[in-house]
PDB file of all heavy atoms in Angstrom:
ATOM      1  N   PHE A 889     -13.403   6.815  10.489  1.00 98.00           N
ATOM      2  CA  PHE A 889     -13.357   5.598  11.288  1.00 98.00           C
ATOM      3  C   PHE A 889     -13.846   5.936  12.697  1.00 98.00           C
ATOM      4  O   PHE A 889     -13.139   6.585  13.464  1.00 98.00           O
ATOM      5  CB  PHE A 889     -11.934   5.047  11.354  1.00 98.00           C
ATOM      6  CG  PHE A 889     -11.337   4.703  10.014  1.00 98.00           C
ATOM      7  CD1 PHE A 889     -10.028   5.069   9.710  1.00 98.00           C
ATOM      8  CD2 PHE A 889     -12.065   4.014   9.059  1.00 98.00           C
ATOM      9  CE1 PHE A 889      -9.463   4.746   8.482  1.00 98.00           C
ATOM     10  CE2 PHE A 889     -11.522   3.686   7.829  1.00 98.00           C
ATOM     11  CZ  PHE A 889     -10.212   4.054   7.541  1.00 98.00           C
ATOM     12  N   HIS A 890     -15.032   5.505  13.026  1.00 97.00           N
ATOM     13  CA  HIS A 890     -15.632   5.840  14.325  1.00 97.00           C
ATOM     14  C   HIS A 890     -15.230   4.796  15.371  1.00 97.00           C
ATOM     15  O   HIS A 890     -15.662   3.646  15.304  1.00 97.00           O
ATOM     16  CB  HIS A 890     -17.161   5.898  14.209  1.00 97.00           C
ATOM     17  CG  HIS A 890     -17.651   6.939  13.261  1.00 97.00           C
ATOM     18  ND1 HIS A 890     -17.938   8.223  13.649  1.00 97.00           N
ATOM     19  CD2 HIS A 890     -17.920   6.880  11.921  1.00 97.00           C
ATOM     20  CE1 HIS A 890     -18.364   8.929  12.611  1.00 97.00           C
ATOM     21  NE2 HIS A 890     -18.353   8.131  11.548  1.00 97.00           N
ATOM     22  N   TYR A 891     -14.428   5.212  16.335  1.00 96.00           N
ATOM     23  CA  TYR A 891     -14.001   4.278  17.369  1.00 96.00           C
ATOM     24  C   TYR A 891     -14.895   4.313  18.611  1.00 96.00           C
ATOM     25  O   TYR A 891     -14.716   3.515  19.532  1.00 96.00           O
ATOM     26  CB  TYR A 891     -12.551   4.546  17.779  1.00 96.00           C
ATOM     27  CG  TYR A 891     -12.281   5.928  18.331  1.00 96.00           C
ATOM     28  CD1 TYR A 891     -12.670   6.297  19.615  1.00 96.00           C
ATOM     29  CD2 TYR A 891     -11.624   6.877  17.556  1.00 96.00           C
ATOM     30  CE1 TYR A 891     -12.429   7.558  20.117  1.00 96.00           C
ATOM     31  CE2 TYR A 891     -11.368   8.142  18.052  1.00 96.00           C
ATOM     32  CZ  TYR A 891     -11.764   8.474  19.334  1.00 96.00           C
ATOM     33  OH  TYR A 891     -11.518   9.733  19.825  1.00 96.00           O
ATOM     34  N   ASP A 892     -15.865   5.234  18.653  1.00 95.00           N
ATOM     35  CA  ASP A 892     -16.756   5.305  19.823  1.00 95.00           C
ATOM     36  C   ASP A 892     -18.173   4.820  19.527  1.00 95.00           C
ATOM     37  O   ASP A 892     -19.033   4.810  20.412  1.00 95.00           O
ATOM     38  CB  ASP A 892     -16.797   6.722  20.390  1.00 95.00           C
ATOM     39  CG  ASP A 892     -17.288   7.744  19.364  1.00 95.00           C
ATOM     40  OD1 ASP A 892     -17.606   7.346  18.206  1.00 95.00           O
ATOM     41  OD2 ASP A 892     -17.351   8.931  19.702  1.00 95.00           O
ATOM     42  N   GLY A 893     -18.429   4.420  18.277  1.00 94.00           N
ATOM     43  CA  GLY A 893     -19.732   3.882  17.905  1.00 94.00           C
ATOM     44  C   GLY A 893     -20.837   4.913  17.776  1.00 94.00           C
ATOM     45  O   GLY A 893     -21.996   4.560  17.520  1.00 94.00           O
ATOM     46  N   LYS A 894     -20.524   6.188  17.914  1.00 95.00           N
ATOM     47  CA  LYS A 894     -21.548   7.240  17.867  1.00 95.00           C
ATOM     48  C   LYS A 894     -21.616   7.841  16.465  1.00 95.00           C
ATOM     49  O   LYS A 894     -20.882   8.760  16.135  1.00 95.00           O
ATOM     50  CB  LYS A 894     -21.232   8.309  18.909  1.00 95.00           C
ATOM     51  CG  LYS A 894     -21.249   7.768  20.339  1.00 95.00           C
ATOM     52  CD  LYS A 894     -20.942   8.864  21.350  1.00 95.00           C
ATOM     53  CE  LYS A 894     -20.976   8.311  22.770  1.00 95.00           C
ATOM     54  NZ  LYS A 894     -20.665   9.346  23.788  1.00 95.00           N
ATOM     55  N   LEU A 895     -22.556   7.330  15.681  1.00 95.00           N
ATOM     56  CA  LEU A 895     -22.710   7.799  14.308  1.00 95.00           C
ATOM     57  C   LEU A 895     -23.846   8.808  14.155  1.00 95.00           C
ATOM     58  O   LEU A 895     -23.742   9.741  13.350  1.00 95.00           O
ATOM     59  CB  LEU A 895     -22.946   6.617  13.356  1.00 95.00           C
ATOM     60  CG  LEU A 895     -21.696   5.862  12.892  1.00 95.00           C
ATOM     61  CD1 LEU A 895     -21.091   5.048  14.021  1.00 95.00           C
ATOM     62  CD2 LEU A 895     -22.017   4.960  11.708  1.00 95.00           C
ATOM     63  N   ASP A 896     -24.918   8.627  14.907  1.00 95.00           N
ATOM     64  CA  ASP A 896     -26.081   9.494  14.740  1.00 95.00           C
ATOM     65  C   ASP A 896     -25.763  10.948  15.070  1.00 95.00           C
ATOM     66  O   ASP A 896     -26.369  11.865  14.500  1.00 95.00           O
ATOM     67  CB  ASP A 896     -27.232   9.008  15.632  1.00 95.00           C
ATOM     68  CG  ASP A 896     -27.815   7.691  15.155  1.00 95.00           C
ATOM     69  OD1 ASP A 896     -27.588   7.346  13.973  1.00 95.00           O
ATOM     70  OD2 ASP A 896     -28.475   7.007  15.957  1.00 95.00           O
ATOM     71  N   GLU A 897     -24.822  11.172  15.972  1.00 96.00           N
ATOM     72  CA  GLU A 897     -24.499  12.537  16.378  1.00 96.00           C
ATOM     73  C   GLU A 897     -23.873  13.355  15.260  1.00 96.00           C
ATOM     74  O   GLU A 897     -23.784  14.579  15.346  1.00 96.00           O
ATOM     75  CB  GLU A 897     -23.553  12.516  17.585  1.00 96.00           C
ATOM     76  CG  GLU A 897     -24.219  12.109  18.889  1.00 96.00           C
ATOM     77  CD  GLU A 897     -24.312  10.608  19.063  1.00 96.00           C
ATOM     78  OE1 GLU A 897     -24.168   9.893  18.049  1.00 96.00           O
ATOM     79  OE2 GLU A 897     -24.522  10.147  20.196  1.00 96.00           O
ATOM     80  N   TRP A 898     -23.445  12.704  14.188  1.00 97.00           N
ATOM     81  CA  TRP A 898     -22.820  13.420  13.073  1.00 97.00           C
ATOM     82  C   TRP A 898     -23.827  13.831  12.004  1.00 97.00           C
ATOM     83  O   TRP A 898     -23.473  14.565  11.067  1.00 97.00           O
ATOM     84  CB  TRP A 898     -21.748  12.539  12.437  1.00 97.00           C
ATOM     85  CG  TRP A 898     -20.620  12.194  13.352  1.00 97.00           C
ATOM     86  CD1 TRP A 898     -20.516  11.111  14.172  1.00 97.00           C
ATOM     87  CD2 TRP A 898     -19.425  12.954  13.568  1.00 97.00           C
ATOM     88  NE1 TRP A 898     -19.339  11.134  14.882  1.00 97.00           N
ATOM     89  CE2 TRP A 898     -18.644  12.255  14.532  1.00 97.00           C
ATOM     90  CE3 TRP A 898     -18.933  14.155  13.041  1.00 97.00           C
ATOM     91  CZ2 TRP A 898     -17.401  12.715  14.968  1.00 97.00           C
ATOM     92  CZ3 TRP A 898     -17.691  14.609  13.475  1.00 97.00           C
ATOM     93  CH2 TRP A 898     -16.943  13.905  14.434  1.00 97.00           C
ATOM     94  N   LYS A 899     -25.058  13.412  12.126  1.00 96.00           N
ATOM     95  CA  LYS A 899     -26.041  13.662  11.078  1.00 96.00           C
ATOM     96  C   LYS A 899     -26.422  15.135  10.940  1.00 96.00           C
ATOM     97  O   LYS A 899     -26.991  15.540   9.933  1.00 96.00           O
ATOM     98  CB  LYS A 899     -27.298  12.830  11.333  1.00 96.00           C
ATOM     99  CG  LYS A 899     -27.070  11.330  11.139  1.00 96.00           C
ATOM    100  CD  LYS A 899     -28.345  10.531  11.329  1.00 96.00           C
ATOM    101  CE  LYS A 899     -28.112   9.053  11.075  1.00 96.00           C
ATOM    102  NZ  LYS A 899     -29.351   8.244  11.253  1.00 96.00           N
ATOM    103  N   SER A 900     -26.112  15.933  11.934  1.00 96.00           N
ATOM    104  CA  SER A 900     -26.443  17.352  11.861  1.00 96.00           C
ATOM    105  C   SER A 900     -25.529  18.113  10.895  1.00 96.00           C
ATOM    106  O   SER A 900     -25.845  19.231  10.480  1.00 96.00           O
ATOM    107  CB  SER A 900     -26.353  17.990  13.255  1.00 96.00           C
ATOM    108  OG  SER A 900     -25.042  17.841  13.789  1.00 96.00           O
ATOM    109  N   TYR A 901     -24.412  17.516  10.511  1.00 97.00           N
ATOM    110  CA  TYR A 901     -23.490  18.162   9.570  1.00 97.00           C
ATOM    111  C   TYR A 901     -23.939  17.894   8.139  1.00 97.00           C
ATOM    112  O   TYR A 901     -24.287  16.770   7.780  1.00 97.00           O
ATOM    113  CB  TYR A 901     -22.072  17.658   9.774  1.00 97.00           C
ATOM    114  CG  TYR A 901     -21.487  18.066  11.113  1.00 97.00           C
ATOM    115  CD1 TYR A 901     -21.373  17.140  12.153  1.00 97.00           C
ATOM    116  CD2 TYR A 901     -21.067  19.369  11.349  1.00 97.00           C
ATOM    117  CE1 TYR A 901     -20.842  17.504  13.378  1.00 97.00           C
ATOM    118  CE2 TYR A 901     -20.547  19.746  12.572  1.00 97.00           C
ATOM    119  CZ  TYR A 901     -20.427  18.818  13.585  1.00 97.00           C
ATOM    120  OH  TYR A 901     -19.920  19.186  14.802  1.00 97.00           O
ATOM    121  N   GLU A 902     -23.913  18.935   7.320  1.00 97.00           N
ATOM    122  CA  GLU A 902     -24.427  18.811   5.958  1.00 97.00           C
ATOM    123  C   GLU A 902     -23.609  17.837   5.111  1.00 97.00           C
ATOM    124  O   GLU A 902     -24.094  17.298   4.112  1.00 97.00           O
ATOM    125  CB  GLU A 902     -24.451  20.182   5.276  1.00 97.00           C
ATOM    126  CG  GLU A 902     -23.095  20.783   4.930  1.00 97.00           C
ATOM    127  CD  GLU A 902     -22.407  21.455   6.108  1.00 97.00           C
ATOM    128  OE1 GLU A 902     -22.962  21.406   7.226  1.00 97.00           O
ATOM    129  OE2 GLU A 902     -21.327  22.042   5.896  1.00 97.00           O
ATOM    130  N   TRP A 903     -22.367  17.587   5.490  1.00 97.00           N
ATOM    131  CA  TRP A 903     -21.513  16.709   4.716  1.00 97.00           C
ATOM    132  C   TRP A 903     -21.640  15.235   5.135  1.00 97.00           C
ATOM    133  O   TRP A 903     -21.011  14.364   4.524  1.00 97.00           O
ATOM    134  CB  TRP A 903     -20.054  17.128   4.848  1.00 97.00           C
ATOM    135  CG  TRP A 903     -19.588  17.428   6.257  1.00 97.00           C
ATOM    136  CD1 TRP A 903     -19.411  18.649   6.824  1.00 97.00           C
ATOM    137  CD2 TRP A 903     -19.255  16.464   7.273  1.00 97.00           C
ATOM    138  NE1 TRP A 903     -18.977  18.531   8.117  1.00 97.00           N
ATOM    139  CE2 TRP A 903     -18.869  17.190   8.425  1.00 97.00           C
ATOM    140  CE3 TRP A 903     -19.236  15.076   7.346  1.00 97.00           C
ATOM    141  CZ2 TRP A 903     -18.476  16.573   9.617  1.00 97.00           C
ATOM    142  CZ3 TRP A 903     -18.845  14.451   8.523  1.00 97.00           C
ATOM    143  CH2 TRP A 903     -18.471  15.194   9.639  1.00 97.00           C
ATOM    144  N   CYS A 904     -22.442  14.948   6.136  1.00 97.00           N
ATOM    145  CA  CYS A 904     -22.488  13.600   6.724  1.00 97.00           C
ATOM    146  C   CYS A 904     -22.771  12.514   5.682  1.00 97.00           C
ATOM    147  O   CYS A 904     -22.155  11.445   5.698  1.00 97.00           O
ATOM    148  CB  CYS A 904     -23.525  13.547   7.830  1.00 97.00           C
ATOM    149  SG  CYS A 904     -23.584  11.941   8.690  1.00 97.00           S
ATOM    150  N   ASP A 905     -23.705  12.776   4.770  1.00 96.00           N
ATOM    151  CA  ASP A 905     -24.081  11.766   3.778  1.00 96.00           C
ATOM    152  C   ASP A 905     -23.127  11.713   2.598  1.00 96.00           C
ATOM    153  O   ASP A 905     -23.317  10.897   1.687  1.00 96.00           O
ATOM    154  CB  ASP A 905     -25.497  12.047   3.271  1.00 96.00           C
ATOM    155  CG  ASP A 905     -26.552  11.814   4.347  1.00 96.00           C
ATOM    156  OD1 ASP A 905     -26.252  11.053   5.290  1.00 96.00           O
ATOM    157  OD2 ASP A 905     -27.640  12.400   4.247  1.00 96.00           O
ATOM    158  N   HIS A 906     -22.119  12.551   2.610  1.00 95.00           N
ATOM    159  CA  HIS A 906     -21.167  12.587   1.494  1.00 95.00           C
ATOM    160  C   HIS A 906     -19.815  11.977   1.850  1.00 95.00           C
ATOM    161  O   HIS A 906     -18.890  12.008   1.040  1.00 95.00           O
ATOM    162  CB  HIS A 906     -20.961  14.034   1.037  1.00 95.00           C
ATOM    163  CG  HIS A 906     -22.216  14.700   0.567  1.00 95.00           C
ATOM    164  ND1 HIS A 906     -22.796  14.433  -0.662  1.00 95.00           N
ATOM    165  CD2 HIS A 906     -23.030  15.598   1.181  1.00 95.00           C
ATOM    166  CE1 HIS A 906     -23.900  15.159  -0.795  1.00 95.00           C
ATOM    167  NE2 HIS A 906     -24.072  15.868   0.306  1.00 95.00           N
ATOM    168  N   VAL A 907     -19.719  11.430   3.051  1.00 97.00           N
ATOM    169  CA  VAL A 907     -18.492  10.744   3.450  1.00 97.00           C
ATOM    170  C   VAL A 907     -18.834   9.325   3.856  1.00 97.00           C
ATOM    171  O   VAL A 907     -19.997   8.988   4.118  1.00 97.00           O
ATOM    172  CB  VAL A 907     -17.798  11.478   4.612  1.00 97.00           C
ATOM    173  CG1 VAL A 907     -17.520  12.924   4.250  1.00 97.00           C
ATOM    174  CG2 VAL A 907     -18.614  11.395   5.891  1.00 97.00           C
ATOM    175  N   LEU A 908     -17.823   8.472   3.913  1.00 97.00           N
ATOM    176  CA  LEU A 908     -18.032   7.082   4.312  1.00 97.00           C
ATOM    177  C   LEU A 908     -17.789   6.938   5.801  1.00 97.00           C
ATOM    178  O   LEU A 908     -16.835   7.509   6.339  1.00 97.00           O
ATOM    179  CB  LEU A 908     -17.095   6.152   3.546  1.00 97.00           C
ATOM    180  CG  LEU A 908     -17.484   5.875   2.096  1.00 97.00           C
ATOM    181  CD1 LEU A 908     -16.852   6.916   1.177  1.00 97.00           C
ATOM    182  CD2 LEU A 908     -17.059   4.491   1.670  1.00 97.00           C
ATOM    183  N   HIS A 909     -18.640   6.164   6.447  1.00 97.00           N
ATOM    184  CA  HIS A 909     -18.535   5.940   7.887  1.00 97.00           C
ATOM    185  C   HIS A 909     -18.309   4.457   8.152  1.00 97.00           C
ATOM    186  O   HIS A 909     -19.039   3.604   7.645  1.00 97.00           O
ATOM    187  CB  HIS A 909     -19.816   6.384   8.593  1.00 97.00           C
ATOM    188  CG  HIS A 909     -20.180   7.818   8.374  1.00 97.00           C
ATOM    189  ND1 HIS A 909     -19.806   8.823   9.229  1.00 97.00           N
ATOM    190  CD2 HIS A 909     -20.885   8.417   7.375  1.00 97.00           C
ATOM    191  CE1 HIS A 909     -20.266   9.978   8.786  1.00 97.00           C
ATOM    192  NE2 HIS A 909     -20.926   9.762   7.658  1.00 97.00           N
ATOM    193  N   VAL A 910     -17.295   4.153   8.943  1.00 97.00           N
ATOM    194  CA  VAL A 910     -17.030   2.789   9.379  1.00 97.00           C
ATOM    195  C   VAL A 910     -16.901   2.820  10.892  1.00 97.00           C
ATOM    196  O   VAL A 910     -16.178   3.646  11.437  1.00 97.00           O
ATOM    197  CB  VAL A 910     -15.747   2.215   8.751  1.00 97.00           C
ATOM    198  CG1 VAL A 910     -15.512   0.784   9.224  1.00 97.00           C
ATOM    199  CG2 VAL A 910     -15.821   2.272   7.238  1.00 97.00           C
ATOM    200  N   SER A 911     -17.613   1.938  11.568  1.00 97.00           N
ATOM    201  CA  SER A 911     -17.637   1.968  13.033  1.00 97.00           C
ATOM    202  C   SER A 911     -17.178   0.648  13.633  1.00 97.00           C
ATOM    203  O   SER A 911     -17.614  -0.429  13.213  1.00 97.00           O
ATOM    204  CB  SER A 911     -19.056   2.292  13.519  1.00 97.00           C
ATOM    205  OG  SER A 911     -19.123   2.284  14.927  1.00 97.00           O
ATOM    206  N   ALA A 912     -16.264   0.745  14.610  1.00 97.00           N
ATOM    207  CA  ALA A 912     -15.833  -0.408  15.408  1.00 97.00           C
ATOM    208  C   ALA A 912     -15.334   0.142  16.736  1.00 97.00           C
ATOM    209  O   ALA A 912     -14.465   1.015  16.770  1.00 97.00           O
ATOM    210  CB  ALA A 912     -14.743  -1.193  14.695  1.00 97.00           C
ATOM    211  N   ILE A 913     -15.876  -0.349  17.817  1.00 95.00           N
ATOM    212  CA  ILE A 913     -15.594   0.198  19.143  1.00 95.00           C
ATOM    213  C   ILE A 913     -14.131   0.000  19.542  1.00 95.00           C
ATOM    214  O   ILE A 913     -13.583  -1.097  19.454  1.00 95.00           O
ATOM    215  CB  ILE A 913     -16.515  -0.440  20.207  1.00 95.00           C
ATOM    216  CG1 ILE A 913     -17.989  -0.208  19.845  1.00 95.00           C
ATOM    217  CG2 ILE A 913     -16.208   0.110  21.602  1.00 95.00           C
ATOM    218  CD1 ILE A 913     -18.383   1.251  19.809  1.00 95.00           C
ATOM    219  N   ASN A 914     -13.515   1.115  19.982  1.00 94.00           N
ATOM    220  CA  ASN A 914     -12.162   1.113  20.557  1.00 94.00           C
ATOM    221  C   ASN A 914     -11.104   0.514  19.636  1.00 94.00           C
ATOM    222  O   ASN A 914     -10.210  -0.211  20.096  1.00 94.00           O
ATOM    223  CB  ASN A 914     -12.150   0.385  21.900  1.00 94.00           C
ATOM    224  CG  ASN A 914     -12.841   1.173  22.991  1.00 94.00           C
ATOM    225  OD1 ASN A 914     -12.934   2.403  22.925  1.00 94.00           O
ATOM    226  ND2 ASN A 914     -13.346   0.484  24.010  1.00 94.00           N
ATOM    227  N   GLN A 915     -11.173   0.845  18.364  1.00 96.00           N
ATOM    228  CA  GLN A 915     -10.150   0.395  17.422  1.00 96.00           C
ATOM    229  C   GLN A 915      -9.348   1.594  16.914  1.00 96.00           C
ATOM    230  O   GLN A 915      -9.881   2.683  16.755  1.00 96.00           O
ATOM    231  CB  GLN A 915     -10.780  -0.361  16.258  1.00 96.00           C
ATOM    232  CG  GLN A 915     -11.541  -1.602  16.668  1.00 96.00           C
ATOM    233  CD  GLN A 915     -10.693  -2.571  17.464  1.00 96.00           C
ATOM    234  OE1 GLN A 915      -9.584  -2.929  17.075  1.00 96.00           O
ATOM    235  NE2 GLN A 915     -11.205  -3.001  18.617  1.00 96.00           N
ATOM    236  N   THR A 916      -8.065   1.365  16.664  1.00 96.00           N
ATOM    237  CA  THR A 916      -7.187   2.439  16.210  1.00 96.00           C
ATOM    238  C   THR A 916      -7.310   2.640  14.704  1.00 96.00           C
ATOM    239  O   THR A 916      -7.865   1.799  13.990  1.00 96.00           O
ATOM    240  CB  THR A 916      -5.726   2.118  16.539  1.00 96.00           C
ATOM    241  OG1 THR A 916      -5.298   1.035  15.694  1.00 96.00           O
ATOM    242  CG2 THR A 916      -5.560   1.718  18.002  1.00 96.00           C
ATOM    243  N   LYS A 917      -6.732   3.731  14.222  1.00 97.00           N
ATOM    244  CA  LYS A 917      -6.796   3.996  12.781  1.00 97.00           C
ATOM    245  C   LYS A 917      -6.013   2.941  11.989  1.00 97.00           C
ATOM    246  O   LYS A 917      -6.339   2.651  10.835  1.00 97.00           O
ATOM    247  CB  LYS A 917      -6.256   5.394  12.471  1.00 97.00           C
ATOM    248  CG  LYS A 917      -4.763   5.580  12.649  1.00 97.00           C
ATOM    249  CD  LYS A 917      -4.352   6.993  12.286  1.00 97.00           C
ATOM    250  CE  LYS A 917      -2.848   7.207  12.442  1.00 97.00           C
ATOM    251  NZ  LYS A 917      -2.460   8.618  12.158  1.00 97.00           N
TER     252      LYS A 917
END
Side-chain angles (χ1 to χ4, degrees):
F889 300 136
H890 298 270
Y891 60 75
D892 59 1
K894 298 180 179 179
L895 278 71
D896 291 341
E897 287 84 343
W898 297 91
K899 291 183 178 180
S900 59
Y901 294 105
E902 70 279 3
W903 46 258
C904 183
D905 292 337
H906 300 285
V907 304
L908 284 89
H909 302 266
V910 180
S911 178
I913 302 298
N914 288 335
Q915 299 304 310
T916 70
K917 70 179 181 183

